[in-house]
């Protein structure tokens, strides 16, 4: 039998009306216009068959980490580009640089099973060892235990923000000035001793400082009337009196037997325990000298005054390294009280300014060059003291009141308004060097920190808040030989120094 039959013809010869099929859109001839041909979707083509990609149902069902709302380009897709019209729309909406219009490879390879990626990720996390902070750093000490170790009552401490009412000796004695009286406490025996009382005519005690390694039991004091005296804490007797000068005292600092004292008239007086008179003085400032610090080697003196000028005096050459503006090493926009020399790098110094400066400057006196500007840490807070760690490259700063940018060029604090706060307000903050990154910041007092001093071990800091009338000790660093030892920091002592 012949099977040739025309479509629409039944096998039994019955006449059935012929149905006319309507062509679909998919079978429309390509003879249409160019505009209609552009509308043909490319999704109807089987690219995997055309390029010879093997079909794998397991891989086709594999989950990916790609976002189903963001386009990703696989290895089997043709290049896709944005059109000029898309660019115009994106530009009008501000998305011209957005990732929505930027195609990128997916997070996984096209045919890589997800389980392998998870295994590799788990293995990398297993073998990754986070870098632990050094046991010497403040990150492992002050940051781990932010509470104070010891607290002392301090009623009557001078509220002058430029006073130096506290000092820590090499024999572990903490001395504190209360108006006209000076006390000290031996931190080993906890014995409190009233060292002396100055006459009413001398005015309150403005600054005190212990001698260094040669005579650690000698304490010097200076008053607001200009009197300067030295006392022996062991015999509790006065051993020197340099009260001929009537210019009020600023900061003071010992270098063996030589005591440098800042004056209100801009001078820096030098006294020697072996002589009854002033041995010499330097002139470089025009305003009250607040900050005075000898370098660790005793070759230079760094000084800062009320106007923010900083000078470094070379004792051997008997001249200033920064005598005029052409050689000016650093300049603050506010008074400078806080000065600290690095104990591990010769010539490295840090200075801090008060309102309206509020910045820490770090520089090297051996590189007097305009092309080598100092490192600057802006705090918008009064910087009251600075201390370098002798065990690591870290710098501690203490802070008082703060202000905002809008208040920088006006009188501070604004009348009738509460002073603003910043992350540095009333804090004790540790910075790394030379990155100047903040390591840890602790607010140990509810009021501004007026002054601080570092202990003989180079690990602990005493801070004083005159408004709060408290003195607190914090463990900031650890010595390298103290690793793994019990430091007794869990005990909190409460006592009074009067």
């Amino acid at each position: 039998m012949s099977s040739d039959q025309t479509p629409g013809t039944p096998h039994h010869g019955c006449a059935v009306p012929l149905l006319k099929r309507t062509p679909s859109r998919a079978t429309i001839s390509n003879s249409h216009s160019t505009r209609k041909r552009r509308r043909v979707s490319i999704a109807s083509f089987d690219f995997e068959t055309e390029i010879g990609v093997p079909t794998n149902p397991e891989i086709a069902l594999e989950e990916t980490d790609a976002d189903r709302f963001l386009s990703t380009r696989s290895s089997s897709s043709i290049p896709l580009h944005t059109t000029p019209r898309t660019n115009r729309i994106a530009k009008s909406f501000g998305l011209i640089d957005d990732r929505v219009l930027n195609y990128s490879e997916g997070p996984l390879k096209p045919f890589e099973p997800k389980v392998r990626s998870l295994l590799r990720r788990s293995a990398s996390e297993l073998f990754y060892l986070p870098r632990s902070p050094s046991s010497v750093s403040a990150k492992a000490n002050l940051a781990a235990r932010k509470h104070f170790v010891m607290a002392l009552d301090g009623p009557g401490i001078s509220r002058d923000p430029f006073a130096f009412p506290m000092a820590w000796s090499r024999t572990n004695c903490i001395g504190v000035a209360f108006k006209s009286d000076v006390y000290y406490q031996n931190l080993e025996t906890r014995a409190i001793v009233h060292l002396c009382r100055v006459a009413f005519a001398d005015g309150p005690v403005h600054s005190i400082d212990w001698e260094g390694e040669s005579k650690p039991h000698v304490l010097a004091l200076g008053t607001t009337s200009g009197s300067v005296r030295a006392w022996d804490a062991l015999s509790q007797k006065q051993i020197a009196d340099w009260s001929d000068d009537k210019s009020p005292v600023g900061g003071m600092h010992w270098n063996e037997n030589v005591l440098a004292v800042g004056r209100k008239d801009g001078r820096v007086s030098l006294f020697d325990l072996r002589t009854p008179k002033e041995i010499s003085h330097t002139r470089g400032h025009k305003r009250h000298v607040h900050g005075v610090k000898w370098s660790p080697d005793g070759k230079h003196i760094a000084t800062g005054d009320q106007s923010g000028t900083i000078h470094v005096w070379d004792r051997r050459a008997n001249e200033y390294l920064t005598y005029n503006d052409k050689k000016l090493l650093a300049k603050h926009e506010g008074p400078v009280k806080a000065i600290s020399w690095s104990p591990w790098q010769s010539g490295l110094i840090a200075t801090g300014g008060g309102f309206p400066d509020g910045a820490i400057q770090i520089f090297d006196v051996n590189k007097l060059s305009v092309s080598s500007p100092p490192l600057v840490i802006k705090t918008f807070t009064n910087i009251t003291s600075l201390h370098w760690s002798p065990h690591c490259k870290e710098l501690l700063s203490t802070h008082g009141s703060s202000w905002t940018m809008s208040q920088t060029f006006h009188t501070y604090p604004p009348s009738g308004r509460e002073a603003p706060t910043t992350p540095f307000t009333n804090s004790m903050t540790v910075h790394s060097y030379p990155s100047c990154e903040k390591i840890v910041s602790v607010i140990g007092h509810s009021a501004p920190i007026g002054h601080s001093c570092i202990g003989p071990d180079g690990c602990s800091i005493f801070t004083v808040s005159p408004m709060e009338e408290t003195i607190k000790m914090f463990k900031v660093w650890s010595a390298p030989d103290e690793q793994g030892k019990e430091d007794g920091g869990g005990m909190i002592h409460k006592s009074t120094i009067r």
Side-chain angles (χ1 to χ4, degrees):
M1 292 178 58
S2 175
S3 60
D4 297 335
Q5 295 179 353
T6 60
T9 306
H11 290 279
H12 300 287
C14 298
V16 178
L18 183 63
L19 299 176
K20 186 178 180 180
R21 298 177 58 189
T22 302
S24 62
R25 290 183 180 269
T27 60
I28 293 177
S29 174
N30 289 336
S31 62
H32 292 281
S33 63
T34 305
R35 181 180 300 176
K36 292 184 179 181
R37 283 203 301 270
R38 289 178 180 174
R39 297 178 182 176
V40 178
S41 174
I42 64 174
S44 60
F45 295 94
D46 190 357
F47 288 99
E48 293 186 356
T49 305
E50 294 294 333
I51 64 178
V53 177
T55 303
N56 191 336
E58 295 182 0
I59 296 176
L61 296 176
E62 186 70 32
E63 294 183 359
T64 66
D65 292 333
D67 195 323
R68 65 192 181 98
F69 295 104
L70 297 177
S71 302
T72 56
R73 181 190 298 178
S74 63
S75 60
S76 61
S77 63
I78 65 174
L80 299 176
H81 302 282
T82 57
T83 64
R85 180 172 178 271
T86 307
N87 287 333
R88 288 195 302 272
I89 297 174
K91 187 175 181 180
S92 64
F93 284 91
L95 300 174
I96 192 64
D97 296 326
D98 199 90
R99 289 191 60 190
V100 174
L101 302 176
N102 297 329
Y103 297 97
S104 60
E105 296 294 338
L108 297 177
K109 294 182 179 180
F111 308 110
E112 182 183 54
K114 186 177 181 181
V115 65
R116 295 181 183 176
S117 177
L118 293 176
L119 287 176
R120 282 199 299 270
R121 187 184 305 172
S122 301
S124 63
E125 293 177 356
L126 180 64
F127 290 103
Y128 172 74
L129 296 177
R131 186 177 179 181
S132 58
S134 171
S135 59
V136 177
S137 172
K139 192 172 184 178
N141 293 275
L142 183 62
R145 186 184 61 253
K146 298 182 179 181
H147 205 274
F148 58 85
V149 179
M150 179 184 295
L152 303 172
D153 292 329
I157 297 179
S158 174
R159 295 196 176 190
D160 187 342
F162 301 106
F164 295 81
M166 182 175 59
W168 202 340
S169 73
R170 296 295 183 92
T171 56
N172 205 19
C173 293
I174 182 73
V176 184
F178 301 95
K179 297 182 179 178
S180 299
D181 297 282
V182 177
Y183 294 79
Y184 75 89
Q185 180 179 24
N186 189 322
L187 298 179
E188 301 293 338
T189 62
R190 301 301 173 85
I192 299 175
V193 178
H194 177 244
L195 182 61
C196 65
R197 172 178 293 176
V198 298
F200 180 79
D202 293 330
V205 178
H206 184 80
S207 300
I208 63 172
D209 190 49
W210 291 97
E211 227 265 52
E213 294 182 355
S214 59
K215 297 179 180 179
H217 54 279
V218 174
L219 182 140
L221 62 89
T223 68
T224 56
S225 67
S227 299
V228 180
R229 298 183 177 92
W231 284 73
D232 190 327
L234 297 179
S235 62
Q236 300 184 28
K237 293 181 179 180
Q238 179 177 300
I239 59 177
D241 187 359
W242 304 294
S243 301
D244 296 337
D245 201 319
K246 299 304 179 182
S247 180
V249 170
M252 58 172 54
H253 193 221
W254 284 98
N255 175 36
E256 295 182 349
N257 291 319
V258 179
L259 176 68
V261 180
R263 298 287 188 177
K264 187 176 182 179
D265 58 8
R267 290 178 296 117
V268 178
S269 302
L270 299 181
F271 301 97
D272 196 313
L273 277 176
R274 296 162 292 188
T275 60
K277 301 291 183 180
E278 175 186 277
I279 59 175
S280 66
H281 64 266
T282 63
R283 291 186 178 272
H285 296 275
K286 298 179 181 179
R287 303 289 297 276
H288 197 157
V289 179
H290 298 300
V292 177
K293 281 290 181 179
W294 286 94
S295 61
D297 55 9
K299 297 178 180 179
H300 299 90
I301 303 178
T303 55
D305 65 11
Q306 179 69 26
S307 65
T309 301
I310 298 171
H311 285 315
V312 179
W313 184 65
D314 191 334
R315 186 184 180 186
R316 298 165 298 176
N318 196 26
E319 66 177 3
Y320 279 99
L321 301 179
T322 54
Y323 185 73
N324 51 45
D325 292 338
K326 294 181 180 179
K327 293 183 179 181
L328 195 61
L329 189 60
K331 180 72 168 65
H332 290 266
E333 299 300 326
V336 176
K337 171 190 174 184
I339 300 176
S340 180
W341 292 86
S342 170
W344 36 262
Q345 180 175 331
S346 176
L348 185 64
I349 187 173
T351 60
F355 177 83
D357 184 76
I360 301 172
Q361 295 190 17
I362 305 173
F363 50 87
D364 193 337
V365 299
N366 299 318
K367 299 178 181 178
L368 297 178
S369 173
V370 180
S371 60
S372 300
L375 298 174
V376 179
I377 305 174
K378 278 288 187 181
T379 67
F380 296 103
T381 306
N382 286 315
I383 300 165
T384 56
S385 63
L386 292 168
H387 302 284
W388 287 100
S389 168
H391 310 300
C392 57
K393 293 184 177 182
E394 294 178 359
L395 174 69
L396 180 140
S397 59
T398 60
H399 303 268
S401 304
S402 302
W403 57 89
T404 61
M405 278 289 293
S406 60
Q407 298 169 341
T408 301
F409 302 101
H410 302 280
T411 303
Y412 177 81
S415 58
R417 288 185 292 175
E418 185 178 356
T421 59
T422 69
F424 295 95
T425 306
N426 305 339
S427 73
M428 177 174 54
T429 304
V430 181
H431 316 265
S432 63
Y433 176 81
S435 66
C436 297
E437 295 180 356
K438 183 168 65 174
I439 298 176
V440 60
S441 185
V442 174
I443 301 177
H445 297 269
S446 60
I449 298 176
H451 186 56
S452 70
C453 51
I454 189 169
D457 59 354
C459 300
S460 300
I461 297 289
F462 258 116
T463 60
V464 56
S465 176
M467 295 180 63
E468 194 181 68
E469 295 187 338
T470 56
I471 304 170
K472 296 179 180 180
M473 186 180 76
F474 295 86
K475 178 71 177 296
V476 181
W477 298 290
S478 290
D481 58 348
E482 291 181 356
Q483 297 180 3
K485 293 184 179 181
E486 181 68 27
D487 57 7
M491 296 180 62
I492 300 176
H493 306 284
K494 178 69 176 179
S495 60
T496 178
I497 202 169
R498 290 188 64 182

